[in-house]
Amino acid sequence: MTAAADRTFSISELAQEFDVTTRAIRFYESEGLLTPERQGQRRIYSRRDRVRLMLTLRGKRIGLSLLEIRELFELYDAANNDEPQLTKFVDILTRREQQLTQQMQDIQLVLREIGQLKAQCEHWMEKRSGGLPE
């Protein structure tokens, strides 16, 4: 093993690196996503914990639930190869992509409706101020 693989991190180092609070990191630990070693009250995070924190934050950013992230970690830990994890991940990403596409379509529809209502209101205001003939 190399020195880089043996590198450990404090909670404050991870919090600073990923711009999250130490409270958030402790929460992810309580949810079983991180498993630091303990030396008294001090938490010692491994390279594996650092990667899991990075993946957790990325997963949250794309809208995955903590349960989905935990399932992926469990699949990865249990698998002899990456195929089950990758298949599950593709399924989760496909579902999320469909949700986001639907949300985007809904937002576009609402924006069109807002534009129409705004134009209608502006037209009425112009008529009332005498800008347009009746």
Side-chain angles (χ1 to χ4, degrees):
M1 246 188 209
T2 66
D6 293 338
R7 169 99 201 276
T8 60
F9 306 87
S10 71
I11 193 168
S12 57
E13 286 175 318
L14 292 179
Q16 184 176 0
E17 178 180 353
F18 292 105
D19 194 27
V20 296
T21 64
T22 56
R23 183 177 179 181
I25 294 172
R26 287 190 300 271
F27 174 73
Y28 295 139
E29 181 184 340
S30 73
E31 292 294 311
L33 299 171
L34 306 173
T35 54
E37 290 183 32
R38 296 282 188 134
Q39 288 182 351
Q41 294 287 359
R42 189 167 178 253
R43 292 170 167 85
I44 309 288
Y45 293 89
S46 66
R47 195 161 180 258
R48 177 180 182 260
D49 290 314
R50 183 186 168 280
V51 169
R52 283 181 173 233
L53 177 59
M54 178 183 62
L55 293 173
T56 298
L57 296 172
R58 283 184 184 169
K60 292 297 296 169
R61 199 167 37 250
I62 66 168
L64 298 181
S65 70
L66 292 181
L67 177 62
E68 289 169 321
I69 295 166
R70 188 179 317 107
E71 286 174 356
L72 289 172
F73 288 164
E74 289 169 359
L75 279 170
Y76 183 77
D77 290 343
N80 290 331
N81 62 47
D82 291 345
E83 191 170 337
Q85 179 198 19
L86 293 174
T87 301
K88 176 75 173 180
F89 192 50
V90 168
D91 291 344
I92 290 170
L93 290 175
T94 299
R95 276 198 321 270
R96 186 64 185 143
E97 181 180 42
Q98 291 168 347
Q99 291 170 342
L100 290 171
T101 299
Q102 183 60 55
Q103 287 177 341
M104 189 168 52
Q105 291 169 353
D106 292 344
I107 289 170
Q108 289 170 342
L109 177 65
V110 169
L111 286 172
R112 280 194 300 275
E113 290 174 358
I114 288 172
Q116 291 169 352
L117 287 171
K118 183 179 169 187
Q120 191 175 21
C121 289
E122 288 169 346
H123 178 75
W124 288 337
M125 289 186 328
E126 286 179 21
K127 281 176 69 173
R128 284 191 176 174
S129 66
L132 292 176
E134 305 254 347

